[in-house]
Amino acid sequence: MDENREDGKNRKNGRMKRFIKKHPFTAAVLFSFGIGALAALLLQAGMVGMYIVTGNPLDAISELFGAALSGLVIYGGFMIFPLVLTGAEIYLLIKGRKNHEIHRRGMIFDMAGIVLGVLYSLIYLSLFREVIFEADWQRQLVNGQTHTPVYTGAQATVIVIAVVAAAGYLAVNCIPLAKMPPLALVLGLAAMYLGAAETVVWGIQVFLGEVSDVLLLLFPFNCLLLTARTVGHKMWEWEQLMEDDESRRRRYEEEGGILSVCNRFLARSKYWPLAAFLLMWPLLGILIGVLLLFGQQPDAVIRAFTETSDWNLSRRVAPQNIYYDEHYLCTVAAGGHKKIVKPERLGVRHGHQVIVNRQLCVANAFEQILEERTPRFHRRVRHFYDTYGFPVAKLIHSKYTADLVYFLMKPLEWIFLAVLYLADVNPENRIAVQYTGKRLEDFIGA
């Protein structure tokens, strides 16, 4: 009985190993998603147990389903899978350098690492850094927004270098080595060097030292790993080709002429890393020259990362962000056209700077009067404004929308002003002190 059980277990393990060997990328995806779902379920085990104890099985099932789904997407897709990809690249570097089959199967990990590396980096920066990629350092942002890490005037240069690097990778790995001249191969490796260097600079630019920022370094690290593996594998493959094809080797050795010296040099694969490094610079010069014809600056490669603010390689100091509370009329005061909403000065709300105009000050002074004279009614008004003010503020996405809200509020502003003049001895003084961090009594000594 035990022997049959052991045989069944061995057969199952054998099928799993064959599946992993035949479909390594699919196995990596399933492993990542499975671990992510399991981690989420373990974190929600207490909540599920509470629902079961209290006799709410449907809530327990709903909680389990929600935890598994979030684990698949968040933990599995965005946290564990990038680490699995990095582990796969390390394994491929060790095992695939002198094994053509492993190297070929590893190309899907390379492509996934490049595509997802770019995509995940942009998502991470957008969500956690609130990066506005079209905003250069001169633009004044609001609240927690951050300027672009790549100067918009040089983004075309960065994209072209990335595309050329990807083309070099595909050419080197997809064209049979026997049909590829050594110079063309080394040129493809030089393009890969350019791409790897660009990703390293990108990693230095966006890594700000927080623990979660380590995920941003996986992309350039993976690019370095796949570049090193490709160079090493092609060197080994060329050596095997020369050993198997004696006539080809003799032809490279016996050729004459000036260019043949270069060809004989490139025929020795041990010189390829150095040759690719040297060829990288004229390739970069050619790309810069072509991009000049399309309006790019000659120093765009450098300015792409230095003509920025808020990042490690930045040389510019951006204007201080303006804070406005999206829940209130501060949105209108800060977001509308200046000639219409007429911002007057900076104020302070909840410890942050806000832009204030007269309409905002009048509304706040009116609320202050209500708070002092009719506190119960004020609470109802505040509750109403808190409930409906936020959805309205979320609709204000442009200067024109802010202008429209400003005009719609004008009748209420006149009513607020009339109440202030009827109820307060010094209404203009009360209006003037709004958002200064002071109350009227602080100035008159009352």
Side-chain angles (χ1 to χ4, degrees):
M1 190 70 174
D2 292 338
E3 291 180 0
N4 292 335
R5 186 179 299 171
E6 188 67 25
D7 289 341
K9 184 177 181 181
N10 290 336
R11 285 196 297 271
K12 185 178 180 180
N13 290 338
R15 286 195 298 270
M16 184 176 296
K17 288 180 181 178
R18 286 193 297 272
F19 176 79
I20 294 174
K21 186 176 181 180
K22 190 175 181 180
H23 307 285
F25 184 76
T26 303
V29 172
L30 294 176
F31 173 79
S32 302
F33 285 178
I35 294 297
L38 180 61
L41 290 173
L42 290 175
L43 290 174
Q44 295 297 322
M47 185 68 70
V48 173
M50 184 190 72
Y51 284 134
I52 294 174
V53 170
T54 56
N56 296 310
L58 292 178
D59 290 339
I61 294 172
S62 177
E63 190 71 27
L64 282 172
F65 179 77
L69 184 61
S70 63
L72 284 172
V73 176
I74 298 174
Y75 295 120
F78 286 91
M79 298 180 67
I80 297 175
F81 189 57
L83 296 174
V84 171
L85 278 178
T86 303
E89 287 292 351
I90 294 174
Y91 172 81
L92 291 168
L93 177 63
I94 298 172
K95 295 293 186 179
R97 203 168 66 87
K98 295 185 178 182
N99 188 307
H100 184 69
E101 184 62 23
I102 293 178
H103 176 78
R104 185 182 64 81
R105 289 182 180 274
M107 287 180 62
I108 190 171
F109 287 94
D110 297 343
M111 295 178 184
I114 293 171
V115 173
L116 294 180
V118 174
L119 181 63
Y120 284 6
S121 296
L122 297 179
I123 292 174
Y124 177 90
L125 292 172
S126 298
L127 293 180
F128 295 99
R129 297 288 183 201
E130 296 186 47
V131 172
I132 309 298
F133 288 98
E134 68 273 13
D136 285 320
W137 66 272
Q138 307 98 326
R139 178 171 159 185
Q140 189 170 48
L141 302 179
V142 299
N143 295 355
Q145 293 176 343
T146 308
H147 295 89
T148 177
V150 179
Y151 172 50
T152 58
Q155 286 177 357
T157 297
V158 173
I159 293 172
V160 167
I161 291 175
V163 171
V164 168
Y169 170 84
L170 292 174
V172 167
N173 286 282
C174 295
I175 299 176
L177 193 60
K179 299 180 180 179
M180 200 172 190
L183 181 59
L185 177 66
V186 174
L187 184 63
L189 296 178
M192 291 182 64
Y193 277 18
L194 273 180
E198 185 176 73
T199 61
V200 169
V201 176
W202 164 265
I204 295 172
Q205 175 82 324
V206 298
F207 180 70
L208 299 182
E210 296 187 8
V211 176
S212 58
D213 286 354
V214 173
L215 293 173
L216 292 171
L217 298 181
L218 294 181
F219 172 49
F221 183 57
N222 286 345
C223 288
L224 289 175
L225 291 175
L226 70 89
T227 300
R229 187 184 87 248
T230 301
V231 173
H233 178 73
K234 289 301 172 181
M235 290 170 62
W236 171 80
E237 192 178 355
W238 181 262
E239 290 171 1
Q240 302 301 307
L241 185 64
M242 290 293 100
E243 290 178 4
D244 296 339
D245 192 343
E246 183 66 22
S247 62
R248 179 190 288 264
R249 184 182 63 79
R250 209 167 32 245
R251 187 168 66 250
Y252 280 117
E253 291 177 352
E254 295 174 356
E255 283 179 342
I258 297 176
L259 293 179
S260 65
V261 175
C262 176
N263 214 23
R264 284 202 300 272
F265 173 79
L266 293 177
R268 300 178 181 179
S269 62
K270 66 180 180 179
Y271 297 129
W272 285 358
L274 175 62
F277 177 78
L278 295 176
L279 195 57
M280 176 181 70
W281 302 105
L283 176 61
L284 179 61
I286 292 171
L287 291 177
I288 291 174
V290 172
L291 287 167
L292 276 172
L293 301 177
F294 293 91
Q296 292 288 289
Q297 297 295 320
D299 58 347
V301 175
I302 299 174
R303 297 184 68 192
F305 298 99
T306 59
E307 199 72 12
T308 58
S309 64
D310 310 327
W311 304 99
N312 289 321
L313 301 177
S314 301
R315 295 193 314 154
R316 301 295 184 181
V317 179
Q320 185 177 359
N321 282 21
I322 293 296
Y323 176 87
Y324 63 82
D325 193 333
E326 295 177 347
H327 202 312
Y328 301 92
L329 286 175
C330 303
T331 309
V332 174
H337 289 92
K338 292 183 179 180
K339 291 184 178 180
I340 295 176
V341 300
K342 299 180 178 65
E344 295 181 343
R345 57 178 170 81
L346 290 175
V348 178
R349 182 180 180 83
H350 298 157
H352 299 280
Q353 281 190 337
V354 294
I355 295 177
V356 298
N357 62 357
R358 180 170 174 82
Q359 186 179 79
L360 179 62
C361 291
V362 168
N364 211 58
F366 171 75
E367 182 183 358
Q368 201 175 76
I369 285 285
L370 291 183
E371 185 180 12
E372 293 173 0
R373 308 291 174 85
T374 57
R376 289 185 180 179
F377 180 65
H378 168 260
R379 283 194 293 270
R380 294 195 186 96
V381 172
R382 169 50 53 186
H383 175 73
F384 177 85
Y385 193 56
D386 288 344
T387 302
Y388 297 103
F390 181 72
V392 171
K394 294 293 285 184
L395 298 175
I396 303 175
H397 297 298
S398 68
K399 291 181 179 293
Y400 296 101
T401 314
D403 296 342
L404 177 61
V405 175
Y406 174 81
F407 286 124
L408 292 176
M409 283 294 298
K410 264 299 176 182
L412 282 177
E413 178 189 346
W414 295 329
I415 294 172
F416 296 161
L417 195 59
V419 172
L420 283 169
Y421 270 84
L422 289 172
D424 200 330
V425 178
N426 299 298
E428 289 298 332
N429 292 349
R430 183 182 291 273
I431 294 170
V433 300
Q434 299 304 310
Y435 298 101
T436 62
K438 303 285 186 179
R439 294 179 69 89
L440 189 59
E441 292 82 359
D442 298 325
F443 292 94
I444 63 178

